[in-house]
Amino acid sequence: MRDSKSRNSMIKAVLFDMDNTLHHLDAAVLAAADAVFCYCKEEFAASLSLLSCTAAEREDAVIDCLRGLQNPVPCLWLYQKLEEACTDGFPETGAILRELKNRGCKLAVFTKADGAEVIPRLDMLGLLSYFDAVYTGEYFAYRKPVHNPYAEVLLSLGFYADEGAFVDAELMERLREHPPEHALPFLEEHVKTLRRTNIRLRRIWKY
């Protein structure tokens, strides 16, 4: 067992959320929903009402709306195909991942999303090769309850919790504002700030 690392140790692993972090899911959901609602001759207001949802809730809200239609099966099929076709990455993402890899960081996807969708989507976006591992909802399903999945994932990669950083949609948006070569220093400063403000460095999933 290695000695415990200091709180100021360098970041050696970066975990990324998937939806709206590595790709713009929300834009794809809205575009596909608008097209399907028009095709199904539903009132356009039905899709506009989805704007009141958060980005995290919107895809489930769309599917619930479509299931309530008179003939839901073809509409759901069309929605899924259109969402996939509309899915697009952020232009800066590849450069950020490449820079972190060049700096020696292990990279992993850490998401609740369905693994059957995550890996094909990463491949379609040209991002799959950057990641050393992909952890999806299924990975933790048989471990419930997992009180600290963040630490468990880092341990499976060979690191302690204080050697990693977690990037969600909000943090990725801030990362994209900086040149790629500033990505690792930015994450290190972000983690130091969290420590100074006593925010625990973990993500708790609710099951």
Side-chain angles (χ1 to χ4, degrees):
M1 187 74 173
R2 294 180 300 170
D3 293 334
S4 178
K5 300 294 182 183
S6 74
R7 295 178 65 84
N8 294 319
S9 59
M10 292 285 290
I11 291 173
K12 297 178 176 62
V14 184
L15 311 183
F16 288 85
D17 195 9
M18 179 70 183
D19 297 339
N20 297 308
T21 302
L22 295 174
H23 69 106
H24 203 340
L25 176 65
D26 201 35
V29 167
L30 287 172
D34 283 347
V36 172
F37 282 125
C38 289
Y39 169 78
C40 296
K41 297 183 171 54
E42 293 294 309
E43 293 183 12
F44 193 68
S47 60
L48 290 180
S49 68
L50 298 169
L51 295 174
S52 62
C53 301
T54 66
E57 298 168 338
R58 195 162 288 132
E59 186 174 29
D60 288 340
V62 169
I63 290 173
D64 286 343
C65 285
L66 293 173
R67 282 176 177 156
L69 297 178
Q70 202 166 28
N71 190 15
V73 175
C75 292
L76 283 165
W77 178 87
L78 179 60
Y79 167 75
Q80 289 165 351
K81 292 297 182 183
L82 286 172
E83 186 206 291
E84 182 179 321
C86 292
T87 297
D88 197 11
F90 298 103
E92 306 89 351
T93 301
I96 291 170
L97 298 177
R98 189 160 47 249
E99 175 65 20
L100 291 172
K101 290 290 284 185
N102 289 342
R103 296 285 194 106
C105 291
K106 289 272 189 182
L107 305 183
V109 175
F110 178 59
T111 176
K112 288 184 186 179
D114 185 351
E117 296 180 1
V118 169
I119 292 181
R121 193 162 289 187
L122 286 170
D123 194 31
M124 179 184 72
L125 294 167
L127 302 178
L128 184 59
S129 62
Y130 291 110
F131 292 100
D132 300 284
V134 177
Y135 299 89
T136 61
E138 296 87 345
Y139 178 79
F140 297 100
Y142 66 93
R143 290 175 166 82
K144 292 190 288 187
V146 178
H147 297 295
N148 194 344
Y150 172 83
E152 181 172 321
V153 164
L154 284 171
L155 189 61
S156 74
L157 293 171
F159 304 107
Y160 292 108
D162 64 354
E163 296 177 297
F166 178 75
V167 178
D168 60 9
E170 182 181 352
L171 185 55
M172 191 64 169
E173 185 175 356
R174 291 166 59 196
L175 266 176
R176 292 197 303 268
E177 295 172 356
H178 299 275
E181 59 269 22
H182 294 172
L184 189 57
F186 177 85
L187 287 175
E188 288 172 345
E189 188 57 39
H190 173 72
V191 170
K192 288 177 185 176
T193 300
L194 292 182
R195 288 171 180 162
R196 285 197 298 268
T197 55
N198 295 318
I199 298 174
R200 300 187 71 182
L201 301 181
R202 64 178 186 172
R203 305 292 292 189
I204 302 301
W205 288 8
K206 296 179 180 178
Y207 287 96

